[in-house]
Amino acid sequence: MLGYTEAQHRTVVIVDVAGFTAANRRGVHQVEIHKRLVELLTTAFDDAGIPWQDCDVEDRGDGKLILAPRDVFNIRLVDQLWSRLVAELRRYNALHSAAAVMQLRVAVHAGEVWRGPAGEVSPAINLAARIIEAAAAKDVLKATGAALAMIASDAFYRDVIEPDPAAAPDLFRRIPVDVKQTQTHAWLRVAESPQPEAVQPQLELEQLAPLLDGVFVPHLPVLVGRASGPGVPPAPPGSDAWASVRHLAEFNAGADGVPPALVFLGLLAGIVDRDRGEQLARWTEDQARRLGLPAGSGNRPVVEKLDKESRLHLLIAVLPDGVSRDQVLLFHWRQDDPEVWPPACGEPVTVAVDQLEQHVDDLVVGAEIAWERHDGPVTVELLLPRALLNLPVHAWQKEHRSGDPRPLSLDYPVVVRSLERMMSRQWHRAWKTRWTAFAADPAGGRVHVAQPPDPDRPHLLGAVLQDDPAVVTVVLTGPPPVRPDRGDELLAALRSGLPAVLWHRNGADPKTVGDLVSGLIEDGGLMALPESTHKARRRNHQSTNVLYTALEDVVLLWDDPGRVIHLDEWAG
């Protein structure tokens, strides 16, 4: 067949959202379902041992056509994918209003598939598309409110499900299929217990539109996050107060029965102007009373630390992928609320080492869009393995696609953090102890400049640092080696709990670096070292001062133990 591949035996999975165009769904509900469906399927397939990235996926509007990887055992589609889909659906539906609740029909079959210029051609796909439309499956979902129905073709049931007790064949029942000239039968399994009906008290929001449309206040995304909790996605970037409250109205009340939109409005009332705040306070009280909630349910105190000096952090972690030295895993945590750590982890990606700068650029630009209305300072941190600590990350640039990229050091304090320390919990007690003493008395912090190593005294630096708890910063004699060795200076600093470590990338005299540090801390002290270094690097773009020029080759490792990431939870 010209332009077509040879036929390959593939397992076909078709997923369809039940009632996608139901009368109670508005456009915002359909967008939310369409967006979250991919996330839900990705998690469920990966957890079931069916790598989503290895599947061939075709979008079908309110569903997906999926060809499973050829090396995956079909039984996983039944005994493992089933339970993961049910779990993810329940997790999703627990957060969303009734109009955004998701029920899925999943059809499974297997057969020959040809791939051509316009897509796949296969009687197996055609049959899967017929059985998923079986009236019996639709009726049972509508009647029970169950989250999931799986429809297996007769052949798939006989070959895969029936022979294996782990697939629970007794929970499938035979159903007729009469769809588009196809008369056959299939096998249906429905989630054993109905999906709990979503509880979403209906707020009378429309009367708020004139009061909130076009209203922006500082830290608006923070208010949304504090009203909704960690399980609810943030409002779209650039949302005003009205768009934010409409976004929150799509999500269920918490355990206390108070809708997140009502909590948000209570927080907002304490930030807007007095007249608007009084109107919002009266509205929240009226709504709480109408819904039978306790008095004051919508009145939440605004945390005092929501001020212009609140600092946000973008932490980007680079982890070896365990397979290739030329590739790494990239994770990131973007802090939108200065009082919340850790924030949600962004989607991890596998990146070639020589493409790291470009991916960091994308993450920084994405953070800037999310922080559009944040007035305070921000810091960019690179959590790096030892082998990459000497990268000149502060000299990396952002907005490469603009044609005139801009150095990160022009806009942010850019520091590196130690992956080696983050993953070595046996060092954390010393780290936190020294940081706590430093934070209590920043003026008492001292800088130690390391001396050339003495082979006969490999623990000299460690002994010196342990003997003087006031030392919080050490200048190494040179860049850390890729692998620690006897008398390793960086290892001595990390084990002793020092939060700040500096060195010259090209191995210049450490005394010169020490003099640079002394000059930087004259005004703000050691606690302000990242900001002082940032200002000095920014001045380097304005003058040819020897001090600022020399600083370009200095690496600042700055580790705050108050912002720890337990990477074993993410990188396992």
Side-chain angles (χ1 to χ4, degrees):
M1 297 168 62
L2 186 62
Y4 286 81
T5 64
E6 294 291 328
Q8 296 180 339
H9 193 80
R10 302 294 297 272
T11 300
V12 180
V13 182
I14 296 183
V15 178
D16 186 76
V17 177
F20 184 73
T21 58
N24 67 328
R25 298 200 204 273
R26 300 198 307 271
V28 65
H29 302 121
Q30 294 179 347
V31 169
E32 178 70 9
I33 290 170
H34 189 271
K35 181 167 56 175
R36 301 300 167 193
L37 177 61
V38 176
E39 298 174 5
L40 184 152
L41 291 175
T42 300
T43 300
F45 271 70
D46 286 346
D47 288 352
I50 309 167
W52 181 255
Q53 66 177 8
D54 295 340
C55 296
D56 296 317
V57 182
E58 177 185 316
D59 184 73
R60 293 198 163 187
D62 58 351
K64 304 288 179 186
L65 166 62
I66 305 158
L67 299 181
R70 289 188 292 276
D71 58 350
V72 168
F73 294 115
N74 282 340
I75 191 62
R76 288 189 184 175
L77 293 163
V78 187
D79 68 342
Q80 296 186 47
L81 182 61
W82 169 268
S83 61
R84 299 317 309 151
L85 284 173
V86 170
E88 291 304 315
L89 281 165
R90 287 177 175 162
R91 186 172 290 123
Y92 167 88
N93 288 338
L95 290 173
H96 287 75
S97 65
V101 160
M102 198 187 309
Q103 293 175 290
L104 294 184
R105 300 194 311 278
V106 177
V108 288
H109 183 45
E112 302 303 297
V113 176
W114 290 264
R115 173 165 290 176
E120 289 82 11
V121 177
S122 169
I125 293 176
N126 296 341
L127 180 60
R130 300 291 187 269
I131 66 175
I132 201 170
E133 296 296 331
K138 294 182 177 181
D139 291 344
V140 75
L141 278 187
K142 186 175 181 180
T144 65
L148 178 66
M150 178 174 283
I151 307 104
S153 69
D154 185 60
F156 194 91
Y157 177 83
R158 297 295 180 193
D159 294 342
V160 179
I161 299 172
E162 191 175 39
D164 194 332
D170 292 343
L171 297 180
F172 285 80
R173 65 182 178 88
R174 181 169 159 160
I175 61 170
V177 177
D178 188 355
V179 179
K180 294 184 178 179
Q181 290 80 50
T182 297
Q183 288 84 35
T184 184
H185 63 268
W187 294 83
L188 172 68
R189 181 182 179 184
V190 178
E192 290 84 350
S193 57
Q195 176 65 32
E197 185 175 339
V199 179
Q200 174 59 50
Q202 295 301 307
L203 300 174
E204 297 172 342
L205 294 176
E206 294 305 322
Q207 57 190 277
L208 292 179
L211 199 62
L212 300 180
D213 192 21
V215 172
F216 293 94
V217 296
H219 305 290
L220 191 58
V222 174
L223 297 185
V224 173
R226 293 187 179 182
S228 61
V232 172
S239 295
D240 62 7
W242 176 233
S244 298
V245 76
R246 285 175 62 85
H247 168 76
L248 289 172
E250 303 304 327
F251 297 94
N252 284 343
D256 59 1
V258 182
L262 196 65
V263 178
F264 169 75
L265 291 165
L267 291 171
L268 190 64
I271 287 190
V272 294
D273 60 85
R274 181 176 178 180
D275 180 61
R276 200 185 308 267
E278 289 176 350
Q279 293 184 63
L280 286 176
R282 286 195 298 271
W283 186 90
T284 56
E285 290 173 8
D286 290 344
Q287 292 297 303
R289 187 165 48 251
R290 185 180 68 82
L291 297 172
L293 298 172
S297 294
N299 300 329
R300 302 294 170 96
V302 178
V303 178
E304 292 182 359
K305 290 185 179 180
L306 282 177
D307 58 47
K308 290 188 177 181
E309 297 306 314
S310 297
R311 181 177 293 275
L312 300 178
H313 297 82
L314 174 63
L315 174 61
I316 302 169
V318 180
L319 281 70
D321 74 348
V323 177
S324 169
R325 283 184 294 181
D326 297 326
Q327 289 189 321
V328 292
L329 291 171
L330 203 64
F331 295 78
H332 74 279
W333 291 263
R334 189 190 73 218
Q335 189 180 29
D336 294 331
D337 185 337
E339 297 303 309
V340 173
W341 190 269
C345 180
E347 186 69 26
V349 293
T350 301
V351 177
V353 173
D354 60 4
Q355 293 296 310
L356 265 176
E357 181 177 352
Q358 181 61 63
H359 283 270
V360 168
D361 177 4
D362 294 339
L363 292 174
V364 170
V365 170
E368 282 292 4
I369 293 171
W371 292 337
E372 178 184 4
R373 297 192 176 276
H374 173 67
D375 297 326
V378 301
T379 294
V380 175
E381 302 177 324
L382 276 295
L383 181 61
L384 300 176
R386 174 185 276 259
L388 299 180
L389 277 175
N390 213 37
L391 286 174
V393 295
H394 63 275
W396 284 359
Q397 301 185 334
K398 69 173 185 177
E399 299 183 22
H400 285 78
R401 295 182 180 87
S402 70
D404 183 20
R406 178 184 178 99
L408 290 176
S409 61
L410 203 60
D411 293 327
Y412 318 102
V414 180
V415 299
V416 300
R417 301 188 66 181
S418 169
L419 178 65
E420 189 175 4
R421 167 153 54 193
M422 194 73 76
M423 299 188 75
S424 301
R425 296 193 187 184
Q426 70 273 21
W427 301 341
H428 287 199
R429 183 178 66 85
W431 180 23
K432 293 174 182 177
T433 299
R434 198 168 294 238
W435 179 272
T436 300
F438 176 38
D441 182 22
R446 296 182 53 247
V447 180
H448 177 79
V449 178
Q451 302 299 313
D454 183 344
D456 296 327
R457 293 186 295 169
H459 299 297
L460 173 62
L461 180 59
V464 169
L465 298 178
Q466 285 296 97
D467 199 44
D468 190 349
V471 173
V472 293
T473 304
V474 64
V475 177
L476 306 183
T477 59
V482 172
R483 292 182 179 82
D485 202 353
R486 182 175 170 83
D488 187 86
E489 294 177 340
L490 178 62
L491 206 56
L494 298 180
R495 285 171 168 169
S496 300
L498 270 68
V501 184
L502 297 97
W503 64 86
H504 195 279
R505 294 184 60 247
N506 300 318
D509 182 6
K511 185 178 182 304
T512 302
V513 180
D515 292 341
L516 286 175
V517 174
S518 298
L520 290 171
I521 64 176
E522 283 182 359
D523 296 329
L526 274 172
M527 187 60 85
L529 187 56
E531 187 62 38
S532 301
T533 305
H534 168 225
K535 290 178 180 178
R537 284 172 172 159
R538 192 167 57 204
R539 292 189 190 116
N540 191 40
H541 294 280
Q542 306 173 38
S543 70
T544 55
N545 185 293
V546 174
L547 170 67
Y548 305 147
T549 302
L551 192 62
E552 281 304 299
D553 285 319
V554 173
V555 176
L556 171 59
L557 187 154
W558 182 267
D559 259 342
D560 179 352
R563 286 179 293 98
V564 169
I565 293 294
H566 295 303
L567 286 149
D568 49 355
E569 298 175 5
W570 306 97

